[in-house]
Each structure stands twice: as structure tokens, then as C-alpha cells.
Amino acid sequence: MARMYQVTFVPDNVTVETEAGETLLDVANRNGVFIDSNCGGFCACSTCHVIIKEGMEHLPEATEEEEDQLDEATGLTLTSRLGCQCVLGEEGPGEGELVVEIPLHNRNAPGIIGGHDHDDDRSHVTEHAHNEGH
Ligand code: FES
């Protein structure tokens, strides 16, 4: 039986149910919640910065690469993570709830949507989208 997680993105207050194995970045984008991802999810930027308000125990420990990239993020907090590196359910009890805050500078980034050529990297995500949310 699939392991299920409930993820709430704030401040949008969008709650989604999802299975283990996806990154927070993919879960958000698939459900119409915008998180920037300049490098396409390869831990090579810090634009997918999110703040884990609840449920850190369901995510893997940050790698050194993630920590290094996070150092570049604006508004870093103790529970900051890179959305593209947080694979749900890689650690922890196997199901549960998370609350994920998307920092302000990532939410309304002007010129990001459709403005860069990294769309290819997201095409696999939008394929599954049932709610584009734009
Ligand atoms: Fe670039 Fe996550 S999308 S580090």
C-alpha cells in the first residue's frame, strides 16, 4: 500500500495528498503551487528554497551540496530546505503531514514564469498536472 503524505503549502493554504517518492518541488508544481526552480531541480541554485514548518522528520537529511546551495538563499532559516532535494518519505515513519512555507521572494518572482529556458525540465511535471493554477 502506498505511503501517503498530506502537504500544506503556505501562505497559499493549498493542501494536497501525495505518495512518498516525489520532491516537494514536484508536488508543489504538479498542484499549481509555484516554487521557482531555476536549475531544474539539480541542486545547482537556491531558488527552490522552502521553509519546513512541520514534518521535517519525513524528509531526508540535507546533503552537503544542499547545505552549500542553501547558504545562498535569501531569508535562510533553521528549517530551510531546497524543495528539489526533499524527497518525501525517504526518512521517517512512512506517512504524515507537512507544512511547507514558500518564501515571499520565491512566490512573486517577476519574469520567472515562462521567462527562462528551463521549462524542459519541468515538462514531466506539468504533464501530470490536473490543476495548472495559473
Ligand atoms: Fe535549483 Fe532546487 S531547483 S536547487
Side-chain angles (χ1 to χ4, degrees), residues 10-81:
V10 295
D12 297 37
N13 264 326
V14 173
T15 299
V16 300
E17 299 232 321
T18 188
E19 292 180 13
E22 258 189 310
T23 66
L24 288 179
L25 177 66
D26 285 346
V27 171
N29 285 344
R30 187 163 55 79
N31 289 283
V33 177
F34 178 72
I35 299 179
D36 199 3
S37 55
N38 269 0
C39 77
F42 290 102
C43 200
C45 67
S46 58
T47 58
C48 63
H49 174 207
V50 294
I51 299 165
I52 311 301
K53 299 297 225 184
E54 286 175 34
M56 188 69 98
E57 67 271 23
H58 304 301
L59 303 172
E61 296 261 321
T63 61
E64 242 174 76
E65 287 79 15
E66 182 180 345
E67 300 277 5
D68 284 352
Q69 288 298 339
L70 266 176
D71 284 343
E72 312 286 320
T74 310
L76 197 63
T77 74
L78 282 176
T79 59
S80 287
R81 298 295 302 265

Side-chain angles (χ1 to χ4, degrees), residues 91-104:
E91 303 283 337
E95 60 183 9
E97 294 177 23
L98 296 91
V99 178
V100 177
E101 179 181 340
I102 302 167
L104 184 62

